[in-house]
């Protein structure tokens, strides 16, 4: 995680508060400590905290009451309770009241750090959703995902967005290229200027030049007025040319000229026009191969391939699926703000499926699942048949990689089931699975279950 965030540690034992501060504080994490509920509330009135770690037993209040008061001040905050053996009942109650997790003393610092990190991710997702809804910004601009490849995407995005460099977004259909284009535009210096979007697949060969570059009156039959074209509209702003692989070959050379010296010529005009446009391109094709095959202008390809961001298909970042599901459950209007849950067996299906339509398909499946949910739970029956059906017979035997994937999802399912059986008690679940608590934590982290 690259974002900086703040943690509040509340424990009446100064030594523990100090230890946690020392262990948790890092380049991205600021930690403040308080020893009483009163001090904690004072801190929360001064600073925005993303996560609070609260001892369930404090000298001046119950941890549960403090949790409630903290969330009244800062609703997006996630709270983790620390509990001793005598207060497990309180911890369970805290969970019921919306605590993120509880940790029993004596705690393992590595485990504590993991839980804090995970709680932060949840808190930041929620506050981002809220902010977007509040700002009336399309919620579609939010890029959800914490896997390594998505962290890389985010890193590149943050770096390139404020520049005027043309960006090429590649990836399968539904992988999130358009979402990313919006995110770039929003973070750019041109965020207040026009953002013009054109799907090149819909450009008609004969009219493509005029639609892009505009025309002067009388340039061709039917050209009754001057038209400024998409370039005129996007001047001083951003132009997103989606499916650039489908752009008619005739206009590739003209686009190349725009990229090289910022000038173009409207149809029927003798004079060149200057433009100031930031370009974003996207394609689901392999343009290098198309160049090789002589189907795409090589010079144009090199000019747009300066800064490329590749969005990996969803099946290569399955650990993002639970977070995406949570995100869609929250934002999709069919949910009417109710708190829906996904049954572990259904989640297992979602994790195993190959997602040829990527995030778009997942979004559609969740939308359908919300409608078909049974008593607030998305079950196997709420999912489309193809998700739970075994792959068709006669398919090529699975590669070693697929086998490994399916072993992993079996293991994951087993862990999830055991946790469910043990009512979320990780120590017990680890015992029953015959692995150490540490190994269980490592697995939980791998599978994005923490
Ligand atoms: N990383 C993501 N986080 C949240 N939603 C996403 C993400 N990627 C894709 N989506 C969702 O999937 C849909 C399809 O994404 P889109 O950007 O249109 O894909 P592409 O342009 O690559 O075909 C979007 O409307 C959005 O709801
Ligand atoms: Mg698209």
């Amino acid at each position: 995680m690259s974002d900086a965030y703040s943690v509040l540690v509340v424990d009446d034992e100064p030594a523990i508060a100090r230890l946690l501060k020392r262990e948790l504080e890092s380049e991205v994490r600021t930690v403040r400590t308080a020893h009483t509920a009163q001090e904690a509330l004072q801190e929360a009135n001064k600073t925005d905290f993303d996560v609070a770690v609260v001892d369930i037993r404090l000298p001046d209040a119950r941890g549960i009451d403090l949790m409630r008061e903290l969330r009244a001040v800062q609703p997006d905050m996630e709270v983790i309770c620390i509990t001793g053996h005598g207060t497990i009942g309180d911890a369970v109650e805290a969970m019921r009241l919306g605590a993120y997790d509880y940790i029993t003393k004596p705690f393992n610092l590595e485990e504590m750090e993991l839980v804090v990190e995970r709680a932060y991710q949840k808190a930041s997702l929620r506050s981002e959703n809220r902010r977007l809804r509040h700002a009336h910004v399309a919620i579609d601009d939010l890029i959800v995902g914490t896997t390594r490849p998505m962290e890389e995407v985010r890193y590149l995005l943050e770096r390139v967005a404020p520049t005027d460099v043309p960006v090429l977004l590649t990836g399968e259909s539904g992988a999130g290229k358009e979402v990313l284009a919006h995110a770039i535009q929003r973070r750019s210096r041109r965020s207040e200027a026009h953002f013009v979007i054109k799907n090149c697949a819909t450009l008609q060969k004969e009219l493509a030049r005029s639609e892009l570059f505009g025309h002067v009156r009388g340039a061709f039959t039917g050209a009754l007025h001057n038209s400024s074209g998409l370039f005129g509209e996007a001047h001083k702003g951003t132009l997103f040319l989606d499916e650039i692989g489908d752009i008619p070959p005739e206009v590739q050379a003209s686009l190349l000229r725009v990229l090289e010296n910022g000038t173009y010529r409207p149809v029927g005009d003798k004079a060149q026009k200057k433009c100031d446009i930031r370009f974003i391109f996207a394609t689901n094709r392999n343009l290098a191969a198309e160049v090789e095959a002589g189907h795409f202008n090589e010079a144009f390809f090199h000019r747009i391939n300066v800064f490329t961001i590749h969005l990996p298909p969803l099946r290569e970042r399955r650990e993002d699926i639970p977070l995406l599901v949570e995100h869609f459950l929250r934002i999709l209007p069919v949910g009417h703000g109710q708190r829906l849950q996904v049954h572990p067996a259904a989640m297992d299906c979602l994790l195993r499926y190959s997602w040829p339509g990527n995030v778009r398909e997942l979004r559609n499946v969740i939308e359908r699942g919300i409608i078909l949910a049974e008593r607030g739970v998305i079950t196997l029956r709420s999912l489309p048949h193809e998700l739970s059906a075994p792959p068709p017979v006669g398919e090529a035997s699975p590669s070693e990689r697929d086998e490994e994937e399916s072993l992993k999802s079996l293991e994951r399912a087993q862990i999830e089931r055991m946790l469910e059986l043990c009512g979320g008690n990780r120590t017990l679940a680890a015992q029953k699975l015959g692995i150490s608590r540490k190994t269980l934590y490592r697995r939980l982290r791998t599978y994005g279950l923490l």
Side-chain angles (χ1 to χ4, degrees), residues 52 54 56 62-65 67-68 71 77-83 87-104 111 115 118-119 122 126 339 341 419 422-426 441 449-450:
V54 175
I56 214 111
R62 293 200 316 153
I64 292 178
D65 296 327
M67 173 173 94
R68 212 177 280 134
R71 290 183 82 152
M77 184 191 293
E78 288 293 343
V79 178
I80 298 164
C81 293
I82 306 179
T83 167
T87 49
I88 290 275
D90 280 3
V92 172
E93 190 187 346
M95 294 291 288
R96 221 170 27 80
L97 294 173
Y100 178 76
D101 203 349
Y102 68 87
I103 290 194
T104 41
E111 166 189 336
V115 176
R118 200 68 199 173
K122 186 158 178 222
R126 183 171 12 190
R339 271 188 100 81
Q341 291 193 327
L419 273 172
C422 300
N425 183 331
R426 291 175 181 147
Y441 263 91
L449 291 171
L450 262 187

Side-chain angles (χ1 to χ4, degrees), residues 76 123-139 141-142 186-187:
D76 290 327
S124 69
L125 187 62
R126 183 171 12 190
S127 64
E128 179 73 351
N129 276 342
R130 191 192 305 278
R131 186 180 69 74
L132 290 175
R133 251 197 298 270
H134 201 68
H136 302 288
V137 179
I139 204 127
D141 289 9
L142 181 63
R186 230 188 42 209
R187 288 162 174 77

Side-chain angles (χ1 to χ4, degrees), residues 140 142-144 150 172-179 324 327-328 359-360 363:
D140 272 359
L142 181 63
I143 298 169
V144 176
M150 289 313 282
E172 291 178 9
S173 184
K177 299 184 293 299
E178 184 156 353
V179 175
L324 280 163
H327 170 66
F328 290 136
V359 187
R360 180 180 293 116
R363 183 190 167 121

Side-chain angles (χ1 to χ4, degrees), residues 321-322 324-332 334-335 338-351 355 362-384 387 420:
I321 291 174
L324 280 163
V325 169
E326 194 178 318
H327 170 66
F328 290 136
L329 285 179
R330 205 163 280 166
I331 66 157
L332 287 174
V334 283
Q338 44 176 329
R339 271 188 100 81
L340 286 161
Q341 291 193 327
V342 181
H343 190 273
M347 181 57 92
D348 202 37
C349 262
L350 296 174
L351 286 164
W355 300 111
L362 175 62
R363 183 190 167 121
N364 294 342
V365 165
I366 296 302
E367 192 157 31
R368 183 178 179 279
I370 293 172
I371 296 167
L372 297 178
E374 301 171 83
R375 275 183 258 113
V377 182
I378 295 183
T379 63
L380 273 182
R381 278 179 54 200
S382 330
L383 300 181
L387 260 78
E420 231 207 323

Side-chain angles (χ1 to χ4, degrees), residues 142-279:
L142 181 63
I143 298 169
V144 176
T146 52
T147 47
R148 271 261 307 278
M150 289 313 282
E151 286 297 332
E152 174 75 9
V153 163
R154 213 173 271 121
Y155 171 80
L156 295 172
L157 157 73
E158 299 294 344
R159 289 295 165 100
V160 79
T163 73
D164 272 342
V165 169
V167 183
L168 174 63
L169 309 174
T170 62
E172 291 178 9
S173 184
K177 299 184 293 299
E178 184 156 353
V179 175
L180 189 54
H182 278 276
I184 293 173
Q185 195 270 346
R186 230 188 42 209
R187 288 162 174 77
S188 76
R189 287 187 279 122
R190 298 167 183 253
S191 60
E192 301 291 319
H194 278 175
F195 184 36
V196 180
I197 301 177
K198 181 68 193 172
N199 181 337
C200 297
T202 67
L203 281 173
Q204 288 175 33
K205 202 171 138 202
E206 296 76 24
L207 294 175
R209 303 182 63 83
S210 139
E211 197 173 337
L212 289 170
F213 308 130
H215 58 250
V216 296
R217 190 175 145 215
F220 49 87
T221 324
L224 301 178
H225 305 281
N226 286 349
S227 148
S228 56
L230 296 173
F231 273 57
E233 252 180 76
H235 186 54
K236 294 201 182 304
T238 309
L239 178 57
F240 173 36
L241 294 176
D242 201 354
E243 309 213 15
I244 189 70
D246 289 331
I247 190 120
E250 295 80 6
V251 289
Q252 291 178 14
S254 312
L255 276 178
L256 176 61
R257 180 152 355 104
V258 179
L259 287 168
E260 279 181 341
N261 53 27
T263 61
Y264 66 99
R265 205 167 50 80
V267 176
D269 203 337
K270 291 198 189 65
Q272 296 275 338
K273 269 195 161 171
K274 269 217 147 315
C275 66
D276 168 15
I277 295 175
R278 201 277 172 86
F279 287 92

